[in-house]
Amino acid sequence: MATRKRKFWGWGYEDQGLSADEHRRLAERMSARFGVSGLTITPAPTIDQIELRKPRIAAPPALATFCTADPYERAGHTYGKSYRDIVRGLRREFPNPPDLVAFPTDEEEVIAVLEWCDTERIAAIPYGGGSSVVGGTEPPIAGDYRGVVSIDLARLDRVLEIDRRSRAARIQAGIFGPALEEQLKPHRLTLRHFPQSFEFSSLGGWIATRSGGHYATLYTHIDDFVESTRAVTPAGIVESRRVPGSGAGPSPDRMFIGSEGILGVITEAWMRLQDRPTFRAGASVMFPDFIRGAEAVRAIAQTGLYPANCRLLDPGEAQNSGASRDGSAVLVLAFESADHPLDAWMKRALECCADHGGRIPDPEAAARDATATHEGAAGAWRQAFLAGPYIHDAMVAIGMLNETFETAITWDRFADFHARIMERTTEVARRVCGAAAVTCRLTHAYPDGAAPYYTVIGPARRGSELEQWDEIKTAASDLLIELGGTITHHHAVGRDHRRWYDRQRPDGFAQALRAAKRALDPNAILNPGVLIDP
Ligand SMILES: Cc1cc2nc3c(=O)[nH]c(=O)nc-3n(C[C@H](O)[C@H](O)[C@H](O)COP(=O)(O)OP(=O)(O)OC[C@H]3O[C@@H](n4cnc5c(N)ncnc54)[C@H](O)[C@@H]3O)c2cc1C
C-alpha cells in the first residue's frame, strides 16, 4: 500500500493544498489588492530536481537499520516551515542538508545514536514535526562538526500509560497532535493543546519550544500541562519526579521545557489531561476599533473567567478571514467545560465587552447554538485558521511575502507599543515591497498583558525575498526589544531569533544556561547555535 508522503519543502501531504484553480484565483486577488501584475505560480519542486551534497558520514552497522541518507528524507529535514524556508524550498536550494536522518524506534536507539554523535563529533538535531518557524531544526553552518544527524522522533508515537484517577498520561515525545488525541479519546480524555501546527507537530517539539495552544487564557503554553519529563542527554538520562506541584528548588522540568533541543532529546513526558468538554458557549463580538476590543480583553482577563478562546482580530485580520466586512475589530470568545453550563461565564464576559463598546451582531444565534464557535464570524475565523498554512505556501509560490511575528507586552504599555510596532512595520514593509498590509490579532491574554501576533503581506521581488523579509523582521524585532517586549511569545528562539534573545536574556542566566549545557552536553553536539553558542 502506498504511504502518503509529506511535502519535503512545505506544509502538509503532497496531495494537500490549493487546487490549480484556487491558486490562480488567489494570484488574481493579490494582483488586484496590491496593484501588481504578472504574478506567476512557481511549481512545487520534485525531489529529483534537488541537488544535495554527498553525505559526509555513514552510520555504523549497529545504527544503519534506523538511519537513512535518502534524499527525500535529507531534503525534508533541512528546513522548518517559515517564510524563509518555503522560499528556499521553492527555489530548490538545499545547500546544507543533514547528512543522515535517524528514526529511532525506542529510547535505546536514541541513546545509541547520541553516543555515536558524541564520540564522532557529529552535530545532533532533535526533530519532532519540523514545524519550527525560527530555524530550530536547520543544520548549523558554523563549527567543526564532521557531519549532522537529524534525530526524527516520529516513531516514538504512543501513549504508554494512563493514570485515569490523576488524569495524566505518560506519552512518547514524537507523537503528533492527531494521533495523541486519537489515543486518548477511548479514555474520554484530551490534552486540548491545539497549536495551529497541531496536525504536523509533536509533543516533544511543543515541550522543547514552550508552544502556545488554543487556550487563549490560563493554560496558554504547554508548560502547565507538563507533569514530568524524561530526556536522553550525552551525560545520561534525566527524569523528573511525577508530582502535582513542588517547591523543591528550581524545577527540573522547566529546564527542559523551552530547551529547544540543546540539552537533550526529550523521549517522553507525563502530561496533565482534561476530561473532554461537553458544555460550550461561544460568541463573536464586534468592536469599533482594535484598542477598544483590547480593553475588553483586558477586562475579561482580569475577571478570572478564563475563556478558552479570547482572540481579538483587528479590522484587517477580521476582513481577511471573513469574520467581518464593515471595518470592525472582532473578538472570538468561547468557554468550554466538562462539568458545568457556561451561560453565567459568557454573560459576564459579554458585559465586559459591552462596557467597552462591544456589540453582538446576532445574539439569538449565539444563544441558540452552544457550539457557536463553529458558526458565524467565529466559524469563518476558524476555517481561515485551519487553511492558513496551505494558503501561506501558495502565497509564497505566487511571489508574495507572507510572514508573521509575535510578542507579548504588559497592558500598561500595550496601546503605545502596538501603535509603534504597526507604524514601523508598515512603513518598512511598504518601502521594501512597494505595497504591503500589516495586520494584528491578540492570540493570548493574561491579567497583566497580551500577546499580539502580526502578519505582514506584500509583493516580493523574486530573488530578493530573503533580504526583503530580513529587513522587515529586523526593524520590527529591534523595535519590540527596545520597547520592552519579548522576541517571541510562543514561536521559540531557534537560530532566527538569537540576536534579539541575546539582548533580552539576563547575563547571569545566560551563564547558567551555558553551564547547564556544559554539564549535560560537554562536547556541544546538540543543536549547536540555538539559544547559546556551543
Ligand atoms: C503553520 C504553523 C503554525 C504554527 N502555529 C503555532 C502555534 O499555534 N503555536 C505555537 O506555539 N507554535 C506554532 N508554530 C510553530 C511550531 O509549530 C511550534 O514551535 C511547535 O512546537 C514545534 O513542534 P515540532 O514537533 O514541529 O518541533 P520541531 O520543529 O521539529 O522542533 C522545534 C525545536 O524543538 C526541538 N525539539 C523537537 N523535538 C524535540 C525533542 N523530542 N526533544 C528535544 N528537543 C526537541 C528541535 O530541536 C527544535 O529546536 C506554527 C508553525 C507553523 C508552520
Side-chain angles (χ1 to χ4, degrees):
M1 200 173 66
T3 36
R4 211 173 169 201
K5 272 183 140 177
R6 281 176 67 188
K7 290 172 200 155
F8 67 87
W9 60 273
W11 189 254
Y13 290 109
E14 285 175 339
D15 55 77
Q16 285 176 313
L18 273 63
S19 68
D21 206 36
E22 287 167 337
H23 213 161
R24 192 180 38 75
R25 283 205 302 273
L26 179 71
E28 283 165 8
R29 275 205 309 281
M30 290 301 133
S31 291
R33 183 170 167 198
F34 291 100
V36 283
S37 56
L39 290 181
T40 53
I41 302 173
T42 303
T46 54
I47 196 64
D48 53 298
Q49 297 169 335
I50 309 300
E51 274 185 35
L52 295 179
R53 172 182 67 203
K54 283 203 167 55
R56 296 166 293 182
I57 47 175
L63 310 183
T65 50
F66 64 92
C67 289
T68 177
D70 174 56
Y72 164 83
E73 295 297 353
R74 290 178 67 212
H77 289 75
T78 301
Y79 297 129
K81 301 290 178 292
S82 69
Y83 173 69
R84 302 179 75 248
D85 299 332
I86 307 302
V87 167
R88 289 179 291 175
L90 285 169
R91 285 183 188 168
R92 287 114 171 108
E93 285 176 5
F94 292 76
N96 191 29
D99 298 279
L100 294 176
V101 182
F103 291 96
T105 55
D106 57 24
E107 198 176 81
E108 287 306 308
E109 292 184 345
V110 175
I111 294 170
V113 71
L114 217 51
E115 273 177 6
W116 177 59
C117 291
D118 201 38
T119 320
E120 296 292 326
R121 187 136 191 84
I122 293 166
I125 305 181
Y127 187 99
S131 68
S132 171
V133 284
V134 293
T137 54
E138 196 170 329
I141 295 171
D144 57 350
Y145 300 99
R146 288 189 46 227
V148 177
V149 178
S150 180
I151 305 179
D152 187 323
L153 297 157
R155 292 183 187 166
L156 299 186
D157 61 353
R158 280 177 309 130
V159 173
L160 298 172
E161 200 178 334
I162 291 189
D163 171 356
R164 190 69 184 75
R165 195 163 177 77
S166 316
R167 240 178 38 186
R170 182 160 72 93
I171 307 171
Q172 289 184 307
I175 196 166
F176 280 20
L180 167 56
E181 287 298 329
E182 205 48 48
Q183 292 179 41
L184 293 175
K185 203 171 178 179
H187 306 273
R188 300 182 319 283
L189 289 168
T190 169
L191 179 62
R192 290 196 82 60
H193 183 74
F194 301 123
Q196 192 185 18
S197 52
F198 174 78
E199 212 182 340
F200 298 106
S201 58
S202 69
L203 175 65
W206 300 339
I207 296 174
T209 60
R210 304 185 65 189
S211 79
H214 86 302
Y215 282 113
T217 65
L218 197 61
Y219 304 121
T220 53
H221 289 96
I222 191 81
D223 309 22
D224 291 331
F225 293 131
V226 178
E227 194 179 66
S228 77
T229 49
R230 183 175 165 95
V232 173
T233 79
I237 288 185
V238 180
E239 183 172 15
S240 64
R241 184 173 285 219
R242 261 194 84 199
V243 277
S246 170
S251 159
D253 296 324
R254 296 273 165 173
M255 190 167 79
F256 283 97
I257 298 172
S259 59
E260 301 195 24
I262 70 159
L263 299 179
V265 181
I266 300 162
T267 50
E268 54 185 68
W270 273 94
M271 299 299 295
R272 303 189 171 107
L273 304 173
Q274 334 261 323
D275 292 316
R276 300 178 78 80
T278 44
F279 297 92
R280 289 190 176 83
S284 317
V285 187
M286 309 288 169
F287 288 89
D289 61 62
F290 188 58
I291 294 300
R292 301 276 292 278
E295 276 302 298
V297 169
R298 180 177 69 82
I300 293 168
Q302 293 179 346
T303 55
L305 292 168
Y306 299 124
N309 203 353
C310 186
R311 284 187 167 66
L312 178 68
L313 317 182
D314 80 355
E317 287 253 336
Q319 166 110 16
N320 292 347
S321 64
S324 104
R325 303 238 171 261
D326 64 358
S328 303
V330 176
L331 177 63
V332 179
L333 196 55
F335 290 90
E336 55 182 48
S337 167
D339 183 71
H340 47 261
L342 296 150
D343 308 346
W345 277 253
M346 181 55 92
K347 184 163 173 281
R348 177 69 194 115
L350 293 179
E351 282 170 7
C352 294
C353 293
D355 289 346
H356 296 281
R359 143 188 91 75
I360 307 176
D362 188 356
E364 280 177 21
R368 213 175 34 241
D369 182 9
T371 59
T373 46
H374 293 252
E375 291 205 337
W381 171 79
R382 191 170 177 276
Q383 280 310 318
F385 185 73
L386 295 176
Y390 300 100
I391 293 175
H392 173 266
D393 292 4
M395 291 277 278
V396 184
I398 58 173
M400 295 298 295
L401 186 151
N402 183 1
E403 187 56 307
T404 60
F405 64 92
E406 35 80 64
T407 180
I409 190 80
T410 49
W411 288 119
D412 61 326
R413 294 171 290 176
F414 171 75
D416 178 57
F417 177 90
H418 171 66
R420 291 182 61 186
I421 295 287
M422 283 296 280
E423 187 189 24
R424 171 80 63 90
T425 312
T426 307
E427 180 250 307
V428 178
R430 288 197 176 144
R431 178 163 50 72
V432 167
C433 297
V438 182
T439 57
C440 180
R441 61 180 185 253
L442 297 187
T443 57
H444 299 85
Y446 301 89
D448 57 340
Y453 183 106
Y454 298 90
T455 300
V456 184
I457 298 180
R461 269 189 320 281
R462 299 272 191 190
S464 305
E465 294 98 331
L466 304 185
E467 292 76 13
Q468 286 181 291
W469 171 241
D470 282 350
E471 198 173 334
I472 299 166
K473 173 80 178 170
T474 301
S477 303
D478 281 349
L479 184 63
L480 66 86
I481 286 293
E482 181 190 319
L483 297 178
T486 171
I487 189 58
T488 175
H489 172 264
H490 57 262
H491 278 170
V493 174
R495 291 179 174 76
D496 298 357
H497 283 153
R498 256 304 295 283
R499 56 189 154 128
W500 296 285
Y501 177 61
D502 286 355
R503 282 161 63 186
Q504 171 175 343
R505 162 188 70 184
D507 283 344
F509 182 75
Q511 284 171 32
L513 192 56
R514 282 188 208 106
K517 169 94 171 157
R518 275 196 299 276
L520 297 177
D521 178 23
N523 296 321
I525 55 152
L526 277 163
N527 220 357
V530 167
L531 294 179
I532 47 176
D533 285 327

